[in-house]
Amino acid sequence: MSHPERIVPDHEPPGVVAVHLKRYAFARPLCAGLVVLDAACGVGYGSAFLAETAERVVGVDVDEETVAYARQRYGSSRCSFEVMDVERLGFPDGSFGAACSFETIEHVADPERALAELHRVLLPGGTLVVSTPHVAETTRSPANPFHRVEYSRGDLEALLRSRFAEVELFGQRRLQTQAHQLAQRLDVL
């Protein structure tokens, strides 16, 4: 793959995959029974996970090789993939009841444009679920070389409110139980 930030479940430790799937698990009830866009879907594992309860999921990603992998590995009658840039979505207005875009906004050249496009392709009253790394202060020169900007909570909320009337912010934290820590030490997992 040409983008080293992509998670490929068949080549990653289960814990890494589990952390990323938590976002999709959070979004899944909000997507149940709907036509869903998974914007910047990567290799498609999350799109396929959503498709288990959604009416249909369309995953889009800017990288052709990644989309080819997603089609081959996760494509189905309820889960399809297209090469597309989130800043220029090729769908008619109001095409989706819900959209997910995880760990995307920090990568795009024009975050406002990406949000405008996501808003445009949602049905009125549709739901957008996004995630981005949490930082205390917004920076346009993050340590991660693949990120263009990382948003503070307040700046992310303001950015989202520029397009969406209702905004709720949540956090994600990985908690380990004592049993999990013991299993790691014993190398059972």
Side-chain angles (χ1 to χ4, degrees):
M1 301 287 156
S2 60
H3 298 280
E5 279 228 302
R6 296 190 193 281
I7 300 300
V8 181
D10 296 336
H11 303 113
E12 299 292 339
V16 171
V17 177
V19 167
H20 285 265
L21 272 176
K22 288 284 188 186
R23 297 174 191 121
Y24 286 100
F26 176 85
R28 193 150 94 164
L30 302 169
C31 298
L34 301 175
V35 177
V36 178
L37 172 65
D38 188 6
C41 66
V43 299
Y45 64 92
S47 303
F49 182 78
L50 292 175
E52 292 174 9
T53 58
E55 178 182 322
R56 184 170 53 85
V57 177
V58 179
V60 301
D61 200 278
V62 71
D63 187 72
E64 290 181 28
E65 182 182 349
T66 300
V67 170
Y69 179 93
R71 286 176 179 152
Q72 185 275 326
R73 178 72 170 84
Y74 298 106
S76 70
S77 61
R78 291 177 48 185
C79 189
S80 62
F81 300 94
E82 301 293 329
V83 176
M84 205 172 294
D85 187 330
V86 297
E87 294 179 56
R88 291 175 293 285
L89 295 170
F91 301 108
D93 296 358
S95 295
F96 300 96
C100 298
S101 191
F102 299 131
E103 306 303 298
T104 307
I105 200 87
E106 66 274 11
H107 291 270
V108 298
D110 188 346
E112 292 85 2
R113 173 78 178 146
L115 281 177
E117 279 294 278
L118 291 165
H119 183 267
R120 180 186 66 76
V121 301
L122 281 171
L123 289 166
T127 299
L128 173 65
V129 184
V130 299
S131 70
T132 191
H134 176 265
V135 295
E137 188 174 312
T138 297
T139 179
R140 298 216 176 262
S141 55
N144 185 323
F146 300 102
H147 294 181
R148 294 171 185 247
V149 61
E150 292 178 353
Y151 291 99
S152 68
R153 181 181 177 93
D155 288 342
L156 176 63
E157 184 174 6
L159 178 65
L160 293 169
R161 286 192 185 284
S162 73
R163 291 287 170 185
F164 298 91
E166 294 181 41
V167 174
E168 291 183 71
L169 299 180
F170 298 89
Q172 178 180 352
R173 183 173 38 171
R174 182 176 181 188
L175 296 176
Q176 289 187 324
T177 64
Q178 287 180 343
H180 184 253
Q181 290 170 348
L182 176 62
Q184 281 183 315
R185 283 195 298 269
L186 297 175
D187 200 24
V188 177
L189 302 175

